[in-house]
Amino acid sequence: MSDLLVANALVVDGTGAAGRPGSVLVRGDRVEAVLEAGAPEPGAERLFDARGRVVAPGFVDVHQHSDMTPFVEPGMDSMLRQGVTSVLVGNCGGSAYPFEGAREHAAMAGADPNGLGLAPWTSFAAYLAAIDEARPALNVAALVGHGTVREAVIGRSHRSPTSDELEAMRGLLSGAMDEGAVGVSSGLIYVPGMHATTDELVEVARGLGGRGVYASHVRGEGTTVFDAVTECIEVGSRAGVPSHVSHLKVEGRRMWGRAAELLDLLERARAGGADVTADQYPYTAWETSLAATVPAWAPAEELPAILADPEARGRLREAIEHGEPGWESVGPDLGWERVVIGSHLPDPDLTGRTVAEITAERGVEPFEVIARLVIADPYTGMVGHGMDEDDVRTIVACADVFVASDALAVAPDGPLGAFGVHPRYYGTFARVLGRYARDERLLTLEDAVRKMTSLPAERFGLAGRGRIAPGAFADLVVFDPSSVIDTATFERPHAFAQGVELVVVNGRVAWDGAPGERVGRALRRGER
Ligand SMILES: [Zn+2]
């Protein structure tokens, strides 16, 4: 007897094909059959009547920072309840393997890095085995972060690696690929990724050995975004692997209105033979660490000395207030009233306040507010309201750009529940389905689902995921197309998406109005 029958649904299979009335039969961890409406329905242990509902492949979120979440909050609620069934971590140059990166990701997830009681993993395979053991609610695949590999080999140094060191970096990456990693990521606005030249990135990406993908948080998303995206494409081409631009956007007032040009650049590159894709989160604000507003020569550990030295202090003020050659500061373009403090462990009351407000209240200058907060908590979060809605809509409407969250999976009662997080942590997928596809009709429901399922799964080699077809993994979401919507806002981010009624992971019910079984797995590239 089959295990589950999702009956009387509109089946949207993830390929972009028009939805068809029918039912989906599940046995074990696989889709056993897709039945046309009216076909005789076999019995199953459990029947879910999905009349008036859509059944789609579970969403595949290829831009996640939940690298340590399986060990911190394995329920992964904020993503599960949007219908996400697989996440890809290790983005923006930072991964939990090598283990140097695990500490930082634990802190980002709101956990005490020393209190997790995990034995440091010495191989990528051991990291994946630890995820399997933690039994998260969702499947987890991982990239290896170039920044983390660089740090493991030469620390946070500004200098370029020697050829031996490059060989060591390539070796770490190549070994991880042998053990199931799906590619390498870079984060070129962060320390230490920002110190890498294009040549270094190419040399490291050659460690992929033609397998997997080079994904990049590119070197600039404001006035330099066109050059930065071009560099991403170049790295992939020279290293002989596909390239992928993470969280595609045009940021900063001076750039507003230019999203179509950016899409055009990608289109022209593809026409010229480049293999490049991109993903996007559907919001007009970004979120990163407050430390990204501080130039690289002023790392958190050196800020106290810099503030105490009049000359260095003046240089820091100048950089943060006006930027410096080769480095853009966010404040001058956006205004500090559009830069909002996110999680700040030492003083949660600062969450949600703007840099401008705190500056006025403390009677000091913005650069000093920022430096003091980074000293108190180097992982202080920041939200910048830096994009234009029309640009966001232009990219959402593009059928080829994947939907991805750039989130950590969180929960209102979890370690980050008291902190301001970005609403994308709870709302990304429901927002595209409800707001942009249904209400604004920027794209069809089928194209929206394709951007969340088959496209990202195929790109990152997650075999058997992202489609509803006999023999595919039974990762499914059932939602009400008339009511699905995000409810999280910047003011009240810890609010679940609505309209998702059933989530099935590896054939087991993970959500049906209440949390179900936790049967997520670590996913290894190409594994069927
Ligand atoms: Zn990023």
Side-chain angles (χ1 to χ4, degrees):
M1 194 165 182
S2 302
D3 295 311
L4 172 68
L5 180 67
V6 177
N8 309 313
L10 182 70
V11 182
V12 174
D13 68 4
T15 65
R20 290 191 316 194
S23 304
V24 179
L25 191 63
V26 173
R27 187 192 288 260
D29 64 359
R30 306 284 172 147
V31 171
E32 185 176 12
V34 182
L35 308 165
E36 300 280 341
E41 282 176 350
E45 291 284 337
R46 178 165 178 182
L47 171 72
F48 188 92
D49 187 355
R51 200 171 300 273
R53 309 292 188 256
V54 168
V55 60
F59 305 140
V60 177
D61 185 357
V62 294
H63 198 92
Q64 270 269 331
H65 293 287
S66 291
D67 301 64
M68 292 295 283
T69 305
F71 316 109
V72 178
E73 15 186 347
M76 303 182 80
D77 296 20
S78 68
M79 303 317 303
L80 172 68
R81 289 176 60 173
Q82 299 181 54
V84 172
T85 54
S86 297
V87 300
L88 175 56
V89 302
N91 278 289
C92 299
S95 52
Y97 174 80
F99 195 75
E100 278 80 353
R103 201 164 286 280
E104 180 172 353
H105 282 89
M108 280 165 61
D112 172 4
N114 302 314
L116 284 175
L118 291 165
W121 33 81
T122 55
S123 68
F124 187 79
Y127 169 54
L128 295 188
I131 290 174
D132 277 330
E133 200 169 314
R135 297 198 315 126
L138 311 183
N139 301 312
V140 180
L143 299 156
V144 176
H146 156 267
T148 309
V149 164
R150 195 183 208 271
E151 190 164 347
V153 174
I154 67 168
R156 292 169 77 84
S157 169
H158 293 214
R159 70 175 172 85
S160 287
T162 65
S163 59
D164 282 353
E165 288 162 346
L166 267 179
E167 190 56 47
M169 290 166 72
R170 263 198 305 273
L172 283 168
L173 176 57
S174 170
M177 291 304 294
D178 292 342
E179 294 172 354
V182 302
V184 65
S185 74
S186 65
L188 305 182
I189 69 158
Y190 301 114
V191 175
M194 68 194 320
H195 301 311
T197 62
T198 306
D199 287 344
E200 174 185 328
L201 296 168
V202 171
E203 284 305 315
V204 173
R206 285 189 173 134
L208 294 171
R211 305 161 292 178
V213 176
Y214 169 72
S216 184
H217 179 149
V218 298
R219 217 176 276 274
E221 297 177 305
T223 54
T224 58
V225 70
F226 295 96
D227 288 344
V229 167
T230 301
E231 180 189 35
C232 175
I233 297 167
E234 180 190 338
V235 171
S237 299
R238 286 174 56 196
V241 291
S243 52
H244 181 80
V245 181
S246 299
H247 41 61
L248 191 70
K249 63 173 81 75
V250 285
E251 167 197 311
R253 291 175 200 270
R254 282 170 292 185
M255 295 301 290
W256 287 358
R258 300 187 66 180
E261 272 176 74
L262 194 56
L263 292 175
D264 199 47
L265 186 156
L266 292 173
E267 198 46 58
R268 277 184 286 117
R270 277 193 285 265
D275 185 1
V276 58
T277 50
D279 66 62
Q280 177 206 25
Y281 54 82
Y283 292 87
T284 54
W286 40 256
E287 180 193 51
T288 186
S289 58
L290 187 63
T293 64
V294 180
W297 55 263
E301 60 275 18
E302 287 172 32
L303 280 173
I306 288 169
L307 289 180
D309 171 44
E311 199 195 316
R313 183 185 164 87
R315 206 178 139 212
L316 183 68
R317 175 201 284 123
E318 184 62 23
I320 293 179
E321 287 298 307
H322 302 288
E324 54 187 17
W327 182 78
E328 234 175 309
S329 173
V330 297
D333 178 63
L334 273 189
W336 295 113
E337 71 283 359
R338 295 172 76 99
V339 179
V340 183
I341 302 303
S343 73
H344 181 69
L345 297 180
D347 185 358
D349 288 345
L350 291 178
T351 290
R353 316 274 321 272
T354 69
V355 170
E357 283 169 0
I358 301 170
T359 295
E361 187 179 288
R362 294 188 177 177
V364 295
E365 294 175 75
F367 84 96
E368 178 141 11
V369 166
I370 290 166
R372 297 278 175 211
L373 294 183
V374 172
I375 290 168
D377 175 6
Y379 302 109
T380 300
M382 156 178 73
V383 169
H385 293 267
M387 284 84 84
D388 183 56
E389 177 67 17
D390 281 343
D391 286 320
V392 170
R393 297 170 85 243
T394 298
I395 299 174
V396 168
C398 179
D400 298 325
V401 177
F402 314 162
V403 177
S405 71
D406 200 358
L408 284 89
V410 295
D413 57 359
L416 291 179
F419 292 97
V421 298
H422 195 295
R424 67 194 183 204
Y425 290 26
Y426 287 86
T428 296
F429 293 84
R431 185 175 176 87
V432 171
L433 293 170
R435 177 180 173 130
Y436 291 117
R438 180 190 60 229
D439 296 345
E440 299 196 16
R441 297 172 181 273
L442 294 184
L443 69 173
T444 64
L445 171 67
E446 287 84 353
D447 275 343
V449 168
R450 178 171 168 264
K451 279 158 63 84
M452 304 171 177
T453 55
S454 68
L455 286 184
E458 274 164 31
R459 183 58 159 180
F460 287 93
L462 306 182
R465 314 273 171 187
R467 284 173 193 244
I468 297 180
F473 284 102
D475 291 347
L476 303 171
V477 54
V478 174
F479 62 89
D480 179 349
S482 68
S483 70
V484 64
I485 197 71
D486 60 308
T487 67
T489 62
F490 288 97
E491 293 72 34
R492 295 175 53 87
H494 292 281
F496 290 110
Q498 290 179 359
V500 173
E501 300 181 355
L502 179 75
V503 182
V504 175
V505 177
N506 297 319
R508 311 301 298 178
V509 172
W511 169 260
D512 62 354
E517 296 181 62
R518 274 179 19 213
V519 293
R521 303 170 183 165
L523 302 183
R524 292 152 185 90
R525 182 177 172 279
E527 178 185 68
R528 289 180 183 278

